[in-house]
Structure formats: structure tokens, C-alpha cells
Amino acid sequence: MKTILSLIIALFIISFSAFAQDFNFGNLTENDRQFNKNTLDSNANAMVLKEFGKSTIEINESTGQPELHFEYHVRIKIFNKDGFRHSNIVIPSYKDDKNIESIKVIKASTFNFDHGVVTETVLDKKSVFTEDRSKYTSLTKFTLPNIKEGSIIEYIYHLQSPNLFNFKQWDFQSDIPKVYSEYQVNIPAIYNYNVSLRGVYKLSDQKTELVKECLRIGGGVIDCSKITYMMKDIPAFIEEDYMTAASNFKSAIYFELSDVQYLNGGKQNITKTWKDVDYELTTAKNLGSQMKRKDVFKDILPTVLKNTTDDLSKAKAIYNYLKKQIKWNNYYGKYSEENIKNVVEMRSGNVADINLSLIAALSAANLDAEAVILSTRDNGTVNKLYPVMSDFNYIVAKVNIGDKSYLLDATEPLLPFGLLPLRCINDQGRVINLKKPSYWIDLRAEQKNVTNYILFGTLTADGKIKGTITTYTLGYAALNRRKEIKKYNSVDEFVEKLDEQMPKLSIVKHEILNIDGVENTLTEKYDVEFSVFDGKVTEQILFQSIFYQ
């Protein structure tokens, strides 16, 4: 796709005029200084007074390739100390082996007011630094200086990106309220984008106008669409417990490239069918080809399967073997970064490396194994109207045994067979089969999240209860509990810390069963002693049942 786009636009000389209706940096109004947060949200610790964004497509002079240019400008008022954290700015950018986004901080300042006099403290550019969060994500970070209650901060940054497919989305909602938000896009007529507004809040206004002759190709010219989206008085977005990705609910504008028009009248469809995607994935060297690598496990399987009696026990043996054999490097991905033969030898890999190895091993044992590509909860739900491969960021295995199917992720050593990590339970995934058409599958938790507490005790004359607390934990509760226990060097160290966290209760003796036996119920038994009254007032006993977690 990028090759086609570059051929289309390689000769372009783009001359966008100054479209932007941006506001002047540092030109604070009296309303900015005296702004009353009660007009929008009396509980706000900080608030966006104005923000403006502009996106254009231009030609990189060094590479001759089309790229996206995005400029962001925001003014934020800090009301109290709890709002100081909003002066810590983090701007993500993305990269892969071929494409790298770049961030440039244009300017940033803090404005304070003292007896009617405005004082500006300019950010030292040396205070801007970049941190690699992962192989694919970098974070540009800086902190605005001299922050006080009542400060106004303002900054502008510029992003250059080779990714034209998703253009540049715009989040109208964030974790603080916004008085006014405006986003302007300038799209050359040769590009046709599908545009969608998500969230419950509607636009305050939208303006579209034609900009003549914004693109020149040889002796010809092409027009551009200048579209401006505006929203006012936007409440803060509050995340709730057990909510999937915030992007599923925030008010935001999204873009997906549908097609590119050739100057000779031809058309290149960028939006593909699942039939097209199935072929690409099953023949891809870093996905389908790795699913076929049964040869990698030819010499390993006889040992792994020596005590198995049926297909289910074979699948469990292979799953447990790979969980122990290959360590997850904490990187997501739907494509393998390494040949799985190397992954098995190095004993380390990303999500795709591990789970494609699992699929190949299951297939080598003559089990019916498939791949499932999905979007994690923090990545949002996928578009099911047509394939958008950038929506997917994860891959797991599916094994079909008899009339039942099991979804498997071998990245978590403490995860039982057939239970996906909670991060994967997000609407539906797409099953990729090497010989059959792909199809959707529901992503559901196959076990309940259960913790039962049982107390057997004796009340003594001095007001103490002596007895045994037993907890039985299943599902994700057991996974999280096992992870918590494994953080410590020993079970004794874990119990010692637990005892410190509950000063009103004393643990005398303990026993924890099935820490590594993840297919079984995690059982914790504690001999305990705690007081319910002081031994003098016996007419009434106040007993707090929730004293242990």
C-alpha cells in the first residue's frame, strides 16, 4: 500500500496555505485568568481552556514519501495542587522496522499571575527527553516549570508520521474537562477516508470548505477538503471498574483510509475483504508460515507426550510445556518477530512468537489448532464491518477437541488451560485457519472469578477468637493471588507481609496449597487469633466480618 501511495504522490508538490484558526501562544485573555471552573465542573483540578489540532499530508523532501503532519496546541489552567500532575506531559509516538514517527516540541511555557502582572517561565528544551516504552512505542516527556495554584500552562508540539491509513484521530474527551476543542483536517481529494465520531457527545459545529489547487501534480492541480470539527463544554471522561478500553466510550473522531484515486481515473481500494486478509495472513512469513512449522517440535513431542492418553491430555501437556519453556518478553503483537525455531532455542519471545509456537506444536501432535487475532481491552474493540488490521494487536491459539474448543495463551505461566488473560476478554476475535475462511468468535471467560472465605473459630472468655480461616480461589482471582504470592522469595515471606498488613489479626500458622497447580483451586489456610471485645463488656459484641483480603 505504501509503495502504491508513494507512486501516486511522488511527484506532488504540496503547498497548503495557512488554513489554521489557531490561537496565539501566550496571548492570555482576562477570561483565561479569571476563569471560574464552576461554569463547567466545580470538582475539576485542572481544565483545558482551549485546544487546537491540525493535520495535513505533505511530502518528505528527503525521502520523497507522503507523510502526515500533525500540530497540537493546548492551554490548560491548574486550579489546585491535585492538578499539578497535568503539568507532566507524555506524548507517545510509534515505530516499527520501517517507519518511525517523530515528535518535536515547538514551545512550552507556564504563566503565573501576581498583582495583575503576568510572568512567563519558558520550558528549557534540554528538559525534554525521550523514553523507549517498548520496541514499538517511544514517549516524549517534559514537565512544565514553576507550577503553582492558578497557573496556566501552554505547549505546542509537531508530529511527523508515515502512517496515512489512520490519519490522526482526535480525542475530544480526556480525564479533565475542556471548555473548547477544535480539530482541523486537510485531506487531498485523492484520499477517501471513512470518518466516524464515537462517544455520547455531539459536535457543537462542523465546517467543510473546498480549498482549490492545494496539490499540484506536474501541470495539473488537485483540490483539498478542509474540515473543521468543534466541541464545547466537554465533561471529563471518568473510567469505571471493569470497563474495557476508554477509546470505546470517549467522544473522539476516527479516520480509516478507504481508497486512493489515480489521476488516470483508476482506483486502489485500501479497505480489503476478509478473503484478501485471510490469504495475506496465512501466507505471511511472520504468521501463517510459522503456524506450519510442525518440524520444529518433531523431536520434542515424544518426551512431552509420553504420559498422555487422549487429545485433551496431549493439548494440556503441550500447553504446560511451552508455558515453562518460553518466557514472555512483555511485548504484544500479532506477528512473530523471530522464526519460532529460534524462539524455542532462545526460550524468549513476544506474544505472537509464543502462541504461534503453541499452534505449531499442537498441529505437530495432530490436533486441530487455529490462530485467533484480537484486540486487547486497553486497545479498544475492532471494526467488524470490514477488516482493519491495525485494530488487532494480539494473537492466541484455539484448539478444537471433540465438540469443544479451548482458547489458549501460553504467555502466563500461572494461567490454567482454557482461560485467557483478562486483557484478552474483549468482544470478539477473528479465527485464522490455514485451510478454511476466517470467522468471528466470542471472547469469554471460561471460569468464574470466585473467592470463598470460611472461618471456624472459638470465642474465649478474654474476648478473642482463635480458629482457622480458609480461602478457596478460582479463575482470575486465583491468577492474581498466585502472582501476588510469587512476588515474594518464599511463602513464609508472603505470609509475614500479610500479617503486617492486618494489625488486628495475628497469623499463628499457615499452609498454602496448589500455588503451582494452576488447574486446581488455590487454597490458603491460616490459624489466626484476633480480639472482638476487651473481656469486660460482654453484653454486645461488634464483629467486623470483612477483615481479611
Side-chain angles (χ1 to χ4, degrees), residues 63-323:
T63 65
Q65 300 298 312
E67 63 184 9
L68 177 75
H69 285 231
F70 171 72
E71 191 164 292
Y72 180 76
H73 182 186
V74 67
R75 182 177 293 167
I76 301 173
K77 189 172 181 67
I78 308 294
F79 294 111
N80 52 43
K81 291 182 179 179
D82 290 334
F84 284 10
R85 65 184 181 87
H86 295 287
S87 64
N88 301 319
I89 311 303
V90 180
I91 307 167
S93 56
Y94 304 98
K95 56 186 177 179
D96 56 32
D97 293 336
K98 298 180 180 179
N99 301 305
I100 300 176
E101 293 184 337
S102 63
I103 297 285
K104 181 180 180 182
V105 177
I106 307 300
K107 58 174 73 174
S109 293
T110 301
F111 299 92
N112 289 302
F113 311 96
D114 187 16
H115 299 95
V117 178
V118 181
T119 302
E120 179 181 3
T121 307
V122 179
L123 174 74
D124 185 348
K125 293 293 182 67
K126 295 179 181 178
S127 301
V128 180
F129 65 96
T130 301
E131 171 189 309
D132 288 331
R133 187 172 70 175
S134 73
K135 184 175 181 179
Y136 305 104
T137 306
S138 294
L139 303 176
T140 298
K141 295 184 173 183
F142 58 91
T143 298
L144 275 299
N146 196 23
I147 299 298
K148 303 175 182 179
E149 293 186 1
S151 294
I152 289 179
I153 61 174
E154 191 168 350
Y155 62 90
I156 300 174
Y157 72 83
H158 185 267
L159 177 145
Q160 289 180 233
S161 171
N163 180 18
L164 301 185
F165 180 77
N166 292 115
F167 203 62
K168 179 63 180 174
Q169 76 176 62
W170 181 264
D171 291 333
F172 286 106
Q173 270 190 298
S174 70
D175 58 349
I176 59 175
K178 297 181 180 181
V179 179
Y180 182 76
S181 179
E182 179 177 328
Y183 184 40
Q184 183 188 107
V185 299
N186 302 281
I187 302 177
I190 60 168
Y191 296 111
N192 183 25
Y193 281 91
N194 296 317
V195 184
S196 60
L197 174 64
R198 298 183 191 174
V200 298
Y201 298 102
K202 304 305 179 184
L203 296 172
S204 301
D205 197 5
Q206 177 179 334
K207 295 179 180 179
T208 303
E209 57 185 287
L210 185 66
V211 179
K212 303 291 288 184
E213 302 183 4
C214 68
L215 257 115
R216 297 184 180 276
I217 308 173
V221 293
I222 293 180
D223 300 335
C224 289
S225 294
K226 171 187 168 185
I227 310 171
T228 305
Y229 305 96
M230 292 159 276
M231 193 176 288
K232 299 177 181 179
D233 299 332
I234 312 162
F237 181 82
I238 308 299
E239 293 197 45
E240 299 178 0
D241 292 341
Y242 307 109
M243 178 183 284
T244 56
S247 59
N248 294 336
F249 307 97
K250 281 182 179 178
S251 290
I253 290 278
Y254 289 84
F255 300 82
E256 291 168 354
L257 185 59
S258 173
D259 57 72
V260 179
Q261 299 285 342
Y262 288 91
L263 297 177
N264 61 7
K267 178 180 176 181
Q268 171 67 34
N269 288 319
I270 306 302
T271 301
K272 301 177 182 178
T273 66
W274 273 112
K275 183 177 180 181
D276 299 326
V277 172
D278 290 351
Y279 176 78
E280 290 179 4
L281 293 182
T282 54
T283 57
K285 291 182 179 180
N286 51 6
L287 200 152
S289 294
Q290 301 307 314
M291 293 171 63
K292 301 172 186 175
R293 292 298 307 272
K294 296 188 285 187
D295 58 294
V296 174
F297 300 95
K298 181 178 62 175
D299 298 330
I300 299 172
L301 284 184
T303 303
V304 175
L305 302 177
K306 64 179 180 181
N307 295 320
T308 60
T309 56
D310 55 22
D311 285 349
L312 182 58
S313 61
K314 287 181 181 179
K316 287 184 176 181
I318 292 169
Y319 173 68
N320 290 326
Y321 170 78
L322 283 175
K323 281 198 302 178

Side-chain angles (χ1 to χ4, degrees), residues 450-454 470-474 477-478 521-525:
V450 178
T451 302
N452 292 323
Y453 300 90
I454 299 174
T470 306
T471 70
Y472 300 97
T473 315
L474 295 166
T521 302
L522 178 64
T523 304
E524 301 173 62
K525 296 181 180 179

Side-chain angles (χ1 to χ4, degrees), residues 307-429:
N307 295 320
T308 60
T309 56
D310 55 22
D311 285 349
L312 182 58
S313 61
K314 287 181 181 179
K316 287 184 176 181
I318 292 169
Y319 173 68
N320 290 326
Y321 170 78
L322 283 175
K323 281 198 302 178
K324 296 176 182 177
Q325 185 73 9
I326 308 175
K327 184 178 180 181
W328 180 34
N329 61 16
N330 292 318
Y331 290 156
Y332 289 3
K334 56 183 177 284
Y335 298 115
S336 177
E337 293 181 358
E338 295 283 348
N339 183 302
I340 65 170
K341 184 176 187 298
N342 296 335
V343 171
V344 173
E345 292 174 353
M346 295 186 299
R347 300 192 176 191
S348 176
N350 72 356
V351 163
D353 291 327
I354 295 171
N355 288 327
L356 289 172
S357 297
L358 175 59
I359 293 167
L362 292 168
S363 299
N366 296 317
L367 298 173
D368 181 14
E370 302 170 293
V372 181
I373 55 174
L374 58 87
S375 172
T376 53
R377 292 168 70 90
D378 60 357
N379 194 54
T381 54
V382 298
N383 185 334
K384 284 177 278 190
L385 296 177
Y386 46 83
V388 180
M389 287 310 297
S390 59
D391 282 354
F392 299 90
N393 68 331
Y394 208 95
I395 190 168
V396 298
K398 177 176 178 282
V399 61
N400 308 304
I401 300 173
D403 58 356
K404 190 168 182 181
S405 296
Y406 302 86
L407 296 177
L408 307 173
D409 184 350
T411 63
E412 297 277 2
L414 299 175
L415 204 64
F417 184 88
L419 185 66
L420 290 179
L422 186 59
R423 59 180 173 266
C424 296
I425 307 302
N426 187 31
D427 193 34
Q428 291 186 315

